[in-house]
Amino acid sequence: MPPVPADRRYAVWLSDPGFAAAEIARGIGYGAAVLDIEHGAFDLADLERFVPFLRSLGLEVLAKVLGPERGPIQQALDFGADAVVIPHVENAAHAKAVTAFAKFPPLGDRSFAGGRTTAYGGFTDEWVAEQDRRTRCLPMIEDAGALEDVAEILALDTVDGVFVGPSDLSLRRERGAYTRAEGDFADLRRVADAARAAGKPWVLPAWSRAEKEFALRHGAGQLALTMQHGALAAGLTAAFEETAALQESTAAE
Amino acid sequence: MPPVPADRRYAVWLSDPGFAAAEIARGIGYGAAVLDIEHGAFDLADLERFVPFLRSLGLEVLAKVLGPERGPIQQALDFGADAVVIPHVENAAHAKAVTAFAKFPPLGDRSFAGGRTTAYGGFTDEWVAEQDRRTRCLPMIEDAGALEDVAEILALDTVDGVFVGPSDLSLRRERGAYTRAEGDFADLRRVADAARAAGKPWVLPAWSRAEKEFALRHGAGQLALTMQHGALAAGLTAAFEETAALQESTAAE
Amino acid sequence: MPPVPADRRYAVWLSDPGFAAAEIARGIGYGAAVLDIEHGAFDLADLERFVPFLRSLGLEVLAKVLGPERGPIQQALDFGADAVVIPHVENAAHAKAVTAFAKFPPLGDRSFAGGRTTAYGGFTDEWVAEQDRRTRCLPMIEDAGALEDVAEILALDTVDGVFVGPSDLSLRRERGAYTRAEGDFADLRRVADAARAAGKPWVLPAWSRAEKEFALRHGAGQLALTMQHGALAAGLTAAFEETAALQESTAAE
Amino acid sequence: MPPVPADRRYAVWLSDPGFAAAEIARGIGYGAAVLDIEHGAFDLADLERFVPFLRSLGLEVLAKVLGPERGPIQQALDFGADAVVIPHVENAAHAKAVTAFAKFPPLGDRSFAGGRTTAYGGFTDEWVAEQDRRTRCLPMIEDAGALEDVAEILALDTVDGVFVGPSDLSLRRERGAYTRAEGDFADLRRVADAARAAGKPWVLPAWSRAEKEFALRHGAGQLALTMQHGALAAGLTAAFEETAALQESTAAE
Amino acid sequence: MPPVPADRRYAVWLSDPGFAAAEIARGIGYGAAVLDIEHGAFDLADLERFVPFLRSLGLEVLAKVLGPERGPIQQALDFGADAVVIPHVENAAHAKAVTAFAKFPPLGDRSFAGGRTTAYGGFTDEWVAEQDRRTRCLPMIEDAGALEDVAEILALDTVDGVFVGPSDLSLRRERGAYTRAEGDFADLRRVADAARAAGKPWVLPAWSRAEKEFALRHGAGQLALTMQHGALAAGLTAAFEETAALQESTAAE
Amino acid sequence: MPPVPADRRYAVWLSDPGFAAAEIARGIGYGAAVLDIEHGAFDLADLERFVPFLRSLGLEVLAKVLGPERGPIQQALDFGADAVVIPHVENAAHAKAVTAFAKFPPLGDRSFAGGRTTAYGGFTDEWVAEQDRRTRCLPMIEDAGALEDVAEILALDTVDGVFVGPSDLSLRRERGAYTRAEGDFADLRRVADAARAAGKPWVLPAWSRAEKEFALRHGAGQLALTMQHGALAAGLTAAFEETAALQESTAAE
C-alpha cells in the first residue's frame, strides 16, 4: 500500500508499542524500528503483537532487550524480531556467553519454541540453520570493557554486528554526560574501524546532525534517526511556537 | 515541577492515552488536552487513569466523547474531566436533550456516582451546584442543523460554550472535503459571532496557520494547535529529510 | 476451599475488576457482587474474564450495565452474569422496551450468541427457556417516572425484581442530594411494598446502618453492604489514625 | 511470506483479538475474518491494533459491530475495517437510518476523522468517494422485519450486501432455537434470491456441512467456515479422545 | 457445573491467558494446564488473574516459568500455581540452587508474601509446611547436563518430579531438530527409569501418537496432549478442507 | 486540591496499580507508597503510568523491585520512582554489586535513558549528580547474611538507607513463621541501631500496633502502615459484621 519505499538503513527508535507511530514512520520511508525494551514500556503481550505488525508493514525489527539474559533475548526472537540488540555486554567473555542465547545449538544455546517462527508447526535442521542465519545478534558497545574487546566480540560467530550506546559509553569511559565531543567520536571511530575489519555492520543512534553525518561517513549499517518522544516534542513545539508568535503579532495590531 | 507556565488557551489533541505525550505537551506550555474519544482508542480503564493524570499535570481535560449519549458523557465526568465535548448534535432540541446528561437535576439529568469527583465519599447540595458550575458542557457545531441553531444552543443553561468540527461541517454543509475555504471561514465567523453574543466561549481545532490566526483574531476561548499524530509525523519527517539530504551530500563528495 | 459459606443476600459493590477484592469478599462470606459497569471502569475483555471468575468463587453476579440499551445488557449476559441491573429506566413503557433485551424471543428480544453460556456449543429450546428463567433482569428505580410506575414495571414478565438507586432518586424526586431522610425512606417503602405485592425481590445499596436496617426489616432480597472504595477508605483510615495517635503518645513521653 | 494464497470467500469467525489465531488462519488459506465485536471481547485499543494487523496479513476484515449505532460503525471504519456488519437492523427504514453512518455525506452521515484511513493526513473529495466505494456496509438479516424488507434494504445505496444471522432469525421467525431445518433454509433462499436480484453479495456463517453446501450452491459471496472457539474445541477434543483410546488399549494389554 | 470429570493426568498446553480456551479444555475433560510462560505471552497482571481462574475450574496449574530464577518462580507460586516447571536447568548443582526458590526456609529459599496463598492474611509454621508439600517443583530435563544428572536431580528434597523438554534435549544432545527418533526415546526412557526409581513423577509434552503411547506405557505422571495453537490449527484446517472439497464437488456438478 | 497535608513518614503498601487506591490514601494523609512489584502484579506499561501519577498526587514512590538485578532497578528509576527497595540482598558484597545499578558511573553502574527523568531531553553532569542524590537506594534486610553485614551495607555510598523484611528475616533466621516475638524485635533493634549509627534511615512494614510503636520509638524514617489488601479486608469485614448483627437483632424481634 505505501508508495514510499522502505529504507532499512534508517530506523525509528520506539519507546512504546504504538501502532500508529509505526505506520507514520513507515509512511515516511523509515525501514527499521529499534524497540527500546530496556528502558521503555513493552509488556510481553504487547510485544507479541507489535513485532509481527512491524514486520508486516515492512519494517525490520531490532529488539533492544531488557538485559543480557536468556529470557528477554529468547522471547524477542520467539515473537519474530529480526535482530536482538543486547545491552550491557561487559567484555568478550560476557559477549560469548550471552550472545549464545540468540543462536541454536550447536552454534549457541537458544531454546526452541514452536510458534510464530515455525508457522505454528514443528521444525527441521534446515529451519534451525535458516533462523540462525536470518536473525541477527547485535551486542551493544556501551561498557568500557566491551569497547576494549570490540574486535574480539565482532569475531564471535554468534555475533552479526554491534550496536553502540554512546551515552552509557561516555559515562563509563569517564567522560561524564555525553556531549558529542572529540573523545566520543574517537570511540565511535574505533567501533567503525573494527566493524569494517570484521566485515560486519555497526549501528548508531544518531540524534544530532553531527552523529548522522559521522555514521554516514563511517559506513554505519543502520542509523536510528530520532526517538519517538523526541520527534513528538519537536512537532508539538513547532505548533506551540507558531501560535505564540501569531498571538503576539495579533495582539500587537 | 515544570517551570513553564501552562496556558489553558492552547490545547493538544490526543488520540490515545499516552502519559509521555501529555508530559511532553505540558513541558512545552500547553495547558489543555482534547481527548478524541470519539475517533481514538480510549478504553474505559485507560480513561479512568488518564484523566486524573492530565489534571495532576495541570492540563485542563476536554473529553470529546463517543457520541451524544448518556453513558459516554457521564463516564467522562465521573472520571474527572473538566469539560465534555459532545459530537454530532443535530439541532437545538437535540442539544437540549443530550447536554442535560452533563448537569445534575434539576438543571439536567446527569446520574450521580460516588467516586473520584466526591473524593470517594458522599455528596451535598453544594457539591452538586459546584460540579454543575465547574465542569463545562460543549456541544459540537459540526452538523448543518446545529449551525443553524447555534444561537439557541448557546442559550441553553446546560451549555457552557461550543466546539467546532470544521471537517464534518464542510461535508454536511455540502462543500465536500474541508479545504479551509471562504465558506468554511464564513461558518466559523457565524459561530464566533454567536458565542460573543452569548458571552460563552467557542473552541476550534486549528491545525493550519490560517485557522490559528482566525481563532486568535475572533476570540476563540481555546485552540487545539496540533494532533498528537500530526506532531509526531512532522518530527519524524524532519529527521528523515535531514538524513536523506546528508546522505546525498556525503555520497556526492 | 473457602470454609465460610457464601450468603447471597449480602453483596459487595465493585468499581473495577479486582480479582483479589473478589476473593477477599468471598472469604468473608459475601455471596454476591454488584458490578458498577455504569460508573466504574470495566472494559469488555476484563468483564469477559471477571464474570466467570466471580461465579467460580461462588459469588452471584449482578451486572449494573452501562445504560438501558441492547449492547451492554446482552454482553453482560453473554459473559455469564446471573443478573442485569438496568439503570435509568424512565417509566413502564421504557422498562418494557429495554428489559426485553434480557430475554429471548418470544418473551423478549435478546440476541443469541454461542459461547460461554452454551458451553461453546449450539443451543436448544430448553436452553432458551432455562436461560430466561435462570438469569434475572432488574430494572432500576431511580427516576421519578419509574417510581410512579413501579407496580406496572414489576408486573412485566421480562422483569424479575427491581434495584433501587437512592441517590439519583433523591435528585430526581426534587429532594436534592441524598440525605437518608424521611422522604427517601418513604420512597423505599413504596418500592418494598410494590415488590412484596408482586412477589418479586427488591435490592438496595445500603451503605449506612439506617439503610441496612431498613432493608432487612422490609424484606429486601439482597443488600449491597459497602463499596470497594468505601471499604478501602475505612481500612486505610483506621491504620492511619492508629499510627497518628501512637505517634502523639510516643512524642508526648 | 505465506505461500498459500488467501481466498477471501472463506472467512474465520473471531471472538477475540488473537494475533496468533489470525496468523494460523491466514497460513491455512482463509482470506477474511469476521470480528464478532457484538458478542465477543474486543476493546477499542485492541481493535485499533487488530484491524490493521489482519489487513497486513492479507485478510479482509468484516467488523460485526456492537449495535446499529453511529459510534461502533464509525470506529470500525476509522480503525481500517474493510466492511461493517450491522446487527439487529429491524426493517428498511431502520436500515436506511443506520447504514448511513457507514458512508460520508452527501451519500450518508459518517463522521470524518483524520488518522489511519487518511495515512494520518488530511482528506480530499476523491478520498471521500474512494472510502465510500472501497469500504462495504452489510446490514444483518436476523430480524423478521429485515427479512420482509430484504429487497428494499438491498436497494439502498448505502448498502453493499447483506449478512445473515440464522440463529436470531430462527428465534424471531418463531421457529425457536436454530435447527438448520426446512424453514431456516427457506429463509436463506429468500435472502440469496434477493441478493442475486440486487446484484449484491450475501454472506453466511456456515458451521455445518449443510450450511456450507447451501451457501456454495446459492452463490454466497463469503462464508464464515468456523468459529475460533469451535475450531479450538474440535482440536482439543481430537487430542483428548486419541489419548483416552490409547490409554484404554494400553491398559488392556 | 461441568458434568465431565477432570482428569489431571491430561494437560492442555496454553500459550496465552485465554479464559475461553481454559473453559473449553475443562469441558472436554482436561484436568491440568501447562502455562508456557517461558515462550508465550503471559504478563504479570494476566497471570495473577488466570491462575486462580484455572484452579477454580478444577484445572491443576503447571507454570512453566520464564527462567531458572527467583523472580519468575516465586511469582507463579504467589499467584497460586500448583506447580512450577523450571526450564534450562543445567545440572544437579544448578537444580539444587534454583529449585530452592520454590520451597521456604529451612528447606529452600522461597520468599514469603501475604496474599492469595494466605487468604490475604498472615502465616504460620503449619502453613509453611503445607505450602512446601502442596506445591510441586518440577525442574526440566532439556539440557544434556540435566539428563546426565537426572537421578541426582530427582533425589533433591526440593524436587517433586521432572518435566521433559524433548525439542531442546534433541538439539542439546547433538541430534539436531527433534524427529521423535530412536535416540529421543532412549533419552525419555532414561528419564522414566530414573523417575520410577526415585518414586517421583515425570511429565511429557506428547503431541504425537508415538509420544502419547510412550508416555502412557512408561508411567508418565502427566502428559500435555496438545498445544492451544496446534489444536486451533487442526480445527481451522478441518473446516477449510471440508469447504474446499465441497466447493470442488459443487463446481463439478 | 487535597486539603490534608501528605506525611511522607506514613506509607501505604500497594499490590497493584490502583489509581483510586492511591487517591484515597493521599486524601487521608498518607505521603508515600511502597509498590510491591516483587510479589504484586505490576506490568511495565502500568508501572510507567502509575509512578508519575503517584508523584503528581504528592506521594513519594518506593519501588520494591522484582529482584536484585539491573533491569528492574533501572526501570523503576527510569519511570520516575523516588526510591528503589531491593529485595533479597544476601550480604555486603552482594549489596555493593546490586546497589550499583541505582547510581550512575562513576559512583555506580546505572544505565542512562533519556525520557521522563530528563524531561524527554538530553542530560548533563549536573543532572547525573542530582539524580544520584535525589533518588534513594534501599537494600532490604531480610536475609540472615544481610543482617550480619547491616553496618557494612549502610556504609556503602550507593546505599541511602535500609528496608526491613520481617517475615523473610524470621524464616531465614530460623525462627519459622513471623510471630512478632522477642527475637524479631531484637533483629529490628539491630537494624535501627546500625541505621542511627550510619546516619541513614531505616524503613519498616508495620502492620500491627506493636510494630508501629516499635518503629516510632526507634526512629524509623518511614513506616508502611497497612497493605491495600489488608485495609480492604478490614473495611469489608466491618460492613459484613454490622449487617450480620443487625440481621440477628432484627430477626430476634
Side-chain angles (χ1 to χ4, degrees):
Chain A
M1 188 175 49
V4 181
D7 190 331
R8 65 172 288 288
R9 286 172 309 168
Y10 301 149
V12 61
W13 181 282
L14 300 175
S15 296
D16 63 46
F19 276 49
E23 292 172 307
I24 292 168
R26 177 60 194 82
I28 292 166
Y30 288 84
V34 176
L35 309 188
D36 190 2
I37 303 170
E38 186 193 6
H39 294 290
F42 292 89
D43 284 312
L44 284 178
D46 282 341
L47 199 61
E48 196 270 334
R49 296 172 169 197
F50 196 43
V51 170
F53 180 65
L54 291 170
R55 292 195 64 204
S56 77
L57 290 178
L59 291 165
E60 196 177 286
V61 179
L62 285 75
K64 180 153 96 69
V65 301
L66 186 56
E69 283 150 31
R70 173 192 286 280
I73 293 169
Q74 175 169 297
Q75 282 176 319
L77 293 173
D78 286 350
F79 294 164
D82 296 287
V84 283
V85 176
I86 306 178
H88 295 293
V89 169
E90 293 165 20
N91 50 48
H94 191 215
K96 189 175 165 63
V98 301
T99 58
F101 297 132
K103 305 287 175 183
F104 288 107
L107 182 52
D109 192 36
R110 181 176 166 192
S111 175
F112 173 76
R116 174 166 296 133
T117 56
T118 62
Y120 301 98
F123 71 128
T124 61
D125 289 342
E126 288 68 42
W127 178 89
V128 168
E130 198 272 342
Q131 272 282 309
D132 281 351
R133 198 172 46 238
R134 201 186 66 69
T135 62
R136 295 186 298 140
C137 175
L138 309 175
M140 286 190 76
I141 305 299
E142 59 179 350
D143 277 24
L147 184 66
E148 293 303 323
D149 292 357
V150 65
E152 216 179 323
I153 289 171
L154 277 158
L156 292 168
D157 54 4
T158 47
V159 167
D160 301 293
V162 292
F163 192 111
V164 188
S167 292
D168 270 330
L169 194 58
S170 177
L171 284 166
R172 279 160 183 76
R173 294 270 291 166
E174 301 181 15
R175 291 189 298 267
Y178 180 47
T179 56
R180 296 164 180 79
E182 196 82 348
D184 298 308
F185 285 107
D187 281 0
L188 293 185
R189 206 166 296 120
R190 201 161 148 186
V191 173
D193 290 349
R196 197 178 45 245
K200 295 184 179 174
W202 69 288
V203 186
L204 184 71
W207 311 153
S208 71
R209 184 186 176 88
E211 291 159 305
K212 286 181 176 70
E213 205 160 356
F214 184 92
L216 292 171
R217 283 188 193 285
H218 292 78
Q222 293 179 300
L223 295 73
L225 308 189
T226 184
M227 295 175 85
Q228 172 181 9
H229 291 153
L232 179 61
L236 291 177
T237 300
F240 192 86
E241 291 182 347
E242 181 187 38
T243 314
L246 276 172
Q247 167 65 28
E248 236 170 280
S249 66
T250 310
E253 282 170 18
Chain B
M1 189 175 49
V4 181
D7 189 331
R8 65 172 287 289
R9 285 173 308 167
Y10 301 149
V12 61
W13 181 282
L14 299 176
S15 297
D16 64 48
F19 276 50
E23 292 172 308
I24 291 168
R26 177 62 193 82
I28 291 165
Y30 287 85
V34 176
L35 308 188
D36 190 2
I37 302 170
E38 185 193 6
H39 295 290
F42 292 88
D43 283 312
L44 285 178
D46 283 340
L47 199 62
E48 196 269 336
R49 296 173 170 196
F50 196 43
V51 170
F53 180 65
L54 292 170
R55 292 195 63 203
S56 76
L57 290 178
L59 291 165
E60 195 176 287
V61 178
L62 286 76
K64 180 154 93 71
V65 301
L66 185 57
E69 283 149 31
R70 175 192 285 280
I73 292 170
Q74 176 168 294
Q75 282 175 318
L77 294 172
D78 286 349
F79 295 164
D82 296 287
V84 282
V85 176
I86 306 178
H88 295 293
V89 169
E90 293 165 19
N91 47 51
H94 191 215
K96 189 174 163 64
V98 302
T99 58
F101 298 132
K103 306 286 176 184
F104 287 107
L107 181 53
D109 192 37
R110 181 176 166 192
S111 174
F112 173 77
R116 173 166 297 131
T117 56
T118 61
Y120 301 96
F123 72 129
T124 61
D125 289 341
E126 288 67 41
W127 179 90
V128 169
E130 197 271 342
Q131 273 281 309
D132 281 350
R133 197 170 48 237
R134 202 186 63 69
T135 62
R136 294 186 298 138
C137 175
L138 308 175
M140 286 189 75
I141 306 298
E142 58 179 351
D143 278 23
L147 184 66
E148 293 303 323
D149 293 358
V150 64
E152 216 178 322
I153 290 171
L154 277 158
L156 292 168
D157 56 4
T158 47
V159 167
D160 301 293
V162 291
F163 192 110
V164 188
S167 293
D168 270 329
L169 195 57
S170 177
L171 284 168
R172 280 160 181 73
R173 294 271 291 166
E174 300 181 15
R175 291 189 299 269
Y178 180 48
T179 56
R180 296 160 180 82
E182 196 82 347
D184 298 309
F185 285 107
D187 281 0
L188 294 184
R189 205 166 297 120
R190 201 160 148 187
V191 173
D193 290 349
R196 195 179 44 246
K200 295 184 180 176
W202 69 287
V203 185
L204 184 71
W207 309 155
S208 71
R209 185 185 175 87
E211 291 159 306
K212 287 182 174 69
E213 206 161 354
F214 183 92
L216 293 171
R217 282 189 193 284
H218 291 78
Q222 293 179 301
L223 295 74
L225 308 188
T226 183
M227 297 175 84
Q228 175 180 9
H229 291 153
L232 180 61
L236 291 178
T237 299
F240 192 86
E241 291 182 346
E242 181 186 38
T243 313
L246 276 171
Q247 168 64 25
E248 237 171 278
S249 66
T250 310
E253 281 170 16
Chain C
M1 187 177 50
V4 181
D7 190 330
R8 64 173 288 291
R9 286 173 309 169
Y10 301 149
V12 61
W13 181 283
L14 300 176
S15 296
D16 63 47
F19 277 51
E23 291 171 309
I24 291 168
R26 178 58 195 84
I28 290 165
Y30 288 85
V34 176
L35 309 189
D36 190 2
I37 303 170
E38 186 192 5
H39 294 289
F42 292 90
D43 283 311
L44 285 178
D46 283 340
L47 199 61
E48 196 269 335
R49 296 173 170 196
F50 196 43
V51 170
F53 180 65
L54 291 170
R55 294 195 61 205
S56 76
L57 290 178
L59 291 166
E60 196 176 285
V61 179
L62 286 74
K64 180 153 93 70
V65 300
L66 185 57
E69 284 151 29
R70 175 193 284 280
I73 292 170
Q74 175 169 295
Q75 282 176 319
L77 294 173
D78 285 349
F79 295 164
D82 295 287
V84 282
V85 177
I86 306 179
H88 295 293
V89 169
E90 293 165 21
N91 49 49
H94 191 217
K96 190 176 162 66
V98 301
T99 59
F101 298 131
K103 306 287 176 183
F104 287 107
L107 184 52
D109 191 37
R110 179 175 167 195
S111 173
F112 172 77
R116 174 166 296 130
T117 56
T118 62
Y120 300 97
F123 71 128
T124 61
D125 288 341
E126 289 68 41
W127 178 89
V128 168
E130 198 271 343
Q131 272 282 309
D132 281 350
R133 196 171 47 238
R134 202 186 65 68
T135 62
R136 294 187 299 139
C137 176
L138 308 175
M140 288 191 73
I141 305 298
E142 58 179 350
D143 277 23
L147 184 66
E148 292 305 323
D149 293 357
V150 65
E152 213 179 325
I153 290 171
L154 278 158
L156 292 168
D157 55 5
T158 47
V159 166
D160 301 293
V162 291
F163 193 108
V164 188
S167 293
D168 270 329
L169 195 58
S170 177
L171 284 167
R172 280 160 183 75
R173 295 272 291 165
E174 298 179 15
R175 292 189 298 269
Y178 180 48
T179 55
R180 295 161 182 81
E182 196 78 353
D184 298 309
F185 286 107
D187 280 359
L188 293 185
R189 205 166 299 119
R190 199 160 149 188
V191 173
D193 291 349
R196 195 179 45 247
K200 296 185 180 175
W202 69 287
V203 186
L204 184 70
W207 309 155
S208 71
R209 184 185 175 87
E211 292 160 303
K212 287 181 175 70
E213 206 159 355
F214 183 92
L216 292 171
R217 282 191 193 282
H218 292 78
Q222 293 179 300
L223 295 71
L225 308 188
T226 183
M227 294 176 85
Q228 173 181 8
H229 291 152
L232 179 62
L236 291 178
T237 300
F240 193 87
E241 291 181 348
E242 182 187 38
T243 313
L246 275 172
Q247 168 64 26
E248 237 172 278
S249 67
T250 309
E253 282 170 19
Chain D
M1 187 177 49
V4 181
D7 190 331
R8 66 173 286 290
R9 286 172 308 169
Y10 301 150
V12 61
W13 183 281
L14 300 175
S15 296
D16 64 47
F19 276 50
E23 292 172 307
I24 292 168
R26 177 61 194 81
I28 291 166
Y30 288 84
V34 176
L35 309 189
D36 190 2
I37 302 169
E38 185 193 5
H39 294 289
F42 292 89
D43 284 310
L44 284 178
D46 283 340
L47 200 62
E48 196 269 334
R49 296 172 171 198
F50 196 42
V51 170
F53 180 65
L54 292 170
R55 293 195 63 202
S56 76
L57 290 177
L59 291 165
E60 196 177 287
V61 178
L62 284 75
K64 181 153 96 69
V65 300
L66 186 56
E69 283 149 30
R70 174 192 287 280
I73 292 170
Q74 175 169 296
Q75 282 176 318
L77 293 173
D78 285 350
F79 294 165
D82 295 287
V84 282
V85 177
I86 306 178
H88 295 293
V89 169
E90 294 165 21
N91 49 49
H94 191 215
K96 189 176 163 63
V98 302
T99 58
F101 298 132
K103 306 287 175 185
F104 287 107
L107 183 53
D109 192 36
R110 181 175 166 192
S111 174
F112 172 76
R116 173 167 297 131
T117 55
T118 61
Y120 299 98
F123 72 129
T124 60
D125 290 340
E126 288 67 42
W127 179 90
V128 168
E130 198 272 342
Q131 272 282 308
D132 281 350
R133 196 170 49 236
R134 203 186 65 68
T135 61
R136 293 187 299 139
C137 176
L138 308 176
M140 286 190 75
I141 306 298
E142 59 180 348
D143 277 24
L147 184 66
E148 293 303 324
D149 293 357
V150 64
E152 216 179 322
I153 290 171
L154 277 157
L156 292 168
D157 55 4
T158 47
V159 166
D160 301 293
V162 292
F163 192 110
V164 188
S167 293
D168 269 330
L169 193 58
S170 176
L171 284 166
R172 279 159 184 75
R173 294 269 293 165
E174 299 180 17
R175 292 189 298 268
Y178 179 48
T179 56
R180 295 163 181 80
E182 196 81 348
D184 297 309
F185 285 107
D187 281 1
L188 294 184
R189 205 166 298 120
R190 202 161 146 187
V191 173
D193 290 349
R196 198 180 42 247
K200 295 184 180 176
W202 68 288
V203 186
L204 183 71
W207 310 154
S208 71
R209 184 186 175 87
E211 292 160 305
K212 287 181 175 70
E213 206 161 353
F214 183 92
L216 292 171
R217 282 189 194 284
H218 291 77
Q222 293 179 300
L223 296 72
L225 308 189
T226 184
M227 296 175 84
Q228 173 181 10
H229 291 152
L232 180 61
L236 290 178
T237 300
F240 192 86
E241 291 182 347
E242 181 186 39
T243 313
L246 275 172
Q247 167 64 27
E248 237 171 278
S249 66
T250 309
E253 283 170 18
Chain E
M1 188 176 47
V4 181
D7 189 331
R8 65 172 287 288
R9 286 172 310 168
Y10 301 149
V12 61
W13 182 283
L14 299 176
S15 297
D16 63 48
F19 276 50
E23 292 171 307
I24 291 168
R26 177 61 195 81
I28 291 166
Y30 287 84
V34 177
L35 309 188
D36 190 1
I37 303 169
E38 185 193 6
H39 295 289
F42 292 89
D43 283 311
L44 284 177
D46 283 339
L47 200 61
E48 197 269 334
R49 296 172 171 197
F50 197 43
V51 169
F53 180 65
L54 291 170
R55 294 196 61 205
S56 77
L57 291 177
L59 291 165
E60 195 177 289
V61 179
L62 285 77
K64 180 152 95 69
V65 301
L66 185 58
E69 284 150 31
R70 174 193 285 279
I73 292 170
Q74 174 169 298
Q75 282 175 320
L77 294 172
D78 286 349
F79 294 164
D82 296 286
V84 282
V85 176
I86 306 178
H88 295 293
V89 170
E90 293 165 20
N91 48 50
H94 190 216
K96 190 176 162 65
V98 301
T99 58
F101 298 131
K103 306 286 177 185
F104 287 107
L107 182 54
D109 192 36
R110 180 175 166 193
S111 174
F112 172 78
R116 174 167 296 132
T117 56
T118 61
Y120 300 97
F123 72 128
T124 61
D125 289 342
E126 289 67 41
W127 178 89
V128 168
E130 197 271 344
Q131 271 282 309
D132 282 350
R133 197 171 47 237
R134 202 187 64 70
T135 62
R136 295 185 300 139
C137 176
L138 308 175
M140 286 190 76
I141 306 298
E142 57 179 353
D143 278 22
L147 184 67
E148 293 303 323
D149 293 358
V150 65
E152 215 178 323
I153 290 171
L154 277 158
L156 292 168
D157 56 3
T158 47
V159 167
D160 301 293
V162 291
F163 192 109
V164 188
S167 293
D168 270 330
L169 195 57
S170 177
L171 284 167
R172 279 158 184 75
R173 295 272 291 167
E174 299 180 15
R175 290 189 299 269
Y178 180 48
T179 55
R180 296 161 180 81
E182 196 80 350
D184 298 308
F185 285 107
D187 281 1
L188 293 185
R189 206 166 297 119
R190 203 160 147 186
V191 173
D193 290 349
R196 196 178 45 245
K200 296 184 180 175
W202 68 288
V203 186
L204 184 70
W207 309 156
S208 71
R209 184 184 174 88
E211 291 159 306
K212 287 182 173 72
E213 206 162 353
F214 184 92
L216 293 172
R217 282 190 194 285
H218 291 79
Q222 292 178 303
L223 296 73
L225 308 189
T226 184
M227 295 175 83
Q228 175 180 8
H229 290 153
L232 179 61
L236 290 178
T237 300
F240 192 86
E241 291 182 347
E242 182 188 37
T243 312
L246 275 171
Q247 168 65 27
E248 236 172 280
S249 66
T250 309
E253 283 170 16
Chain F
M1 188 176 48
V4 181
D7 190 330
R8 65 172 288 290
R9 285 172 310 168
Y10 301 150
V12 61
W13 182 283
L14 300 175
S15 297
D16 63 47
F19 276 50
E23 291 171 308
I24 292 168
R26 178 60 194 82
I28 291 166
Y30 288 85
V34 177
L35 309 189
D36 190 1
I37 303 169
E38 185 192 5
H39 294 290
F42 292 90
D43 284 309
L44 284 178
D46 282 340
L47 199 61
E48 196 269 335
R49 296 171 172 198
F50 196 43
V51 170
F53 180 65
L54 292 169
R55 295 195 61 204
S56 76
L57 291 177
L59 291 165
E60 194 176 289
V61 179
L62 285 75
K64 180 153 95 69
V65 300
L66 185 58
E69 284 150 30
R70 175 193 285 279
I73 293 169
Q74 176 169 296
Q75 282 175 319
L77 294 173
D78 286 348
F79 295 164
D82 295 287
V84 283
V85 177
I86 305 178
H88 296 293
V89 169
E90 294 166 20
N91 49 49
H94 191 215
K96 189 176 164 62
V98 302
T99 58
F101 298 132
K103 306 286 176 183
F104 288 107
L107 182 53
D109 192 37
R110 179 176 167 193
S111 174
F112 172 77
R116 173 167 297 132
T117 55
T118 61
Y120 300 97
F123 72 129
T124 61
D125 289 341
E126 290 66 43
W127 179 90
V128 168
E130 197 272 343
Q131 271 282 308
D132 281 351
R133 195 171 49 236
R134 201 186 65 69
T135 63
R136 295 187 299 139
C137 175
L138 309 175
M140 288 191 72
I141 305 298
E142 57 179 352
D143 278 23
L147 185 66
E148 292 304 322
D149 292 359
V150 65
E152 214 178 323
I153 290 170
L154 277 157
L156 291 167
D157 54 5
T158 47
V159 166
D160 300 294
V162 292
F163 192 109
V164 188
S167 294
D168 270 330
L169 195 57
S170 177
L171 284 167
R172 280 159 182 75
R173 294 272 291 167
E174 299 179 15
R175 292 188 299 268
Y178 179 49
T179 56
R180 296 163 180 78
E182 196 79 352
D184 297 310
F185 285 107
D187 281 0
L188 293 184
R189 205 167 298 118
R190 199 159 148 189
V191 173
D193 290 349
R196 196 178 45 246
K200 295 184 179 175
W202 69 287
V203 186
L204 184 70
W207 311 154
S208 72
R209 185 187 173 86
E211 292 159 305
K212 287 180 175 70
E213 206 161 355
F214 183 92
L216 293 171
R217 283 190 192 284
H218 291 78
Q222 294 178 300
L223 295 73
L225 307 189
T226 183
M227 295 175 85
Q228 173 181 8
H229 290 152
L232 179 62
L236 290 178
T237 299
F240 192 86
E241 292 182 347
E242 182 187 37
T243 313
L246 276 171
Q247 167 65 26
E248 239 172 278
S249 67
T250 309
E253 281 171 18

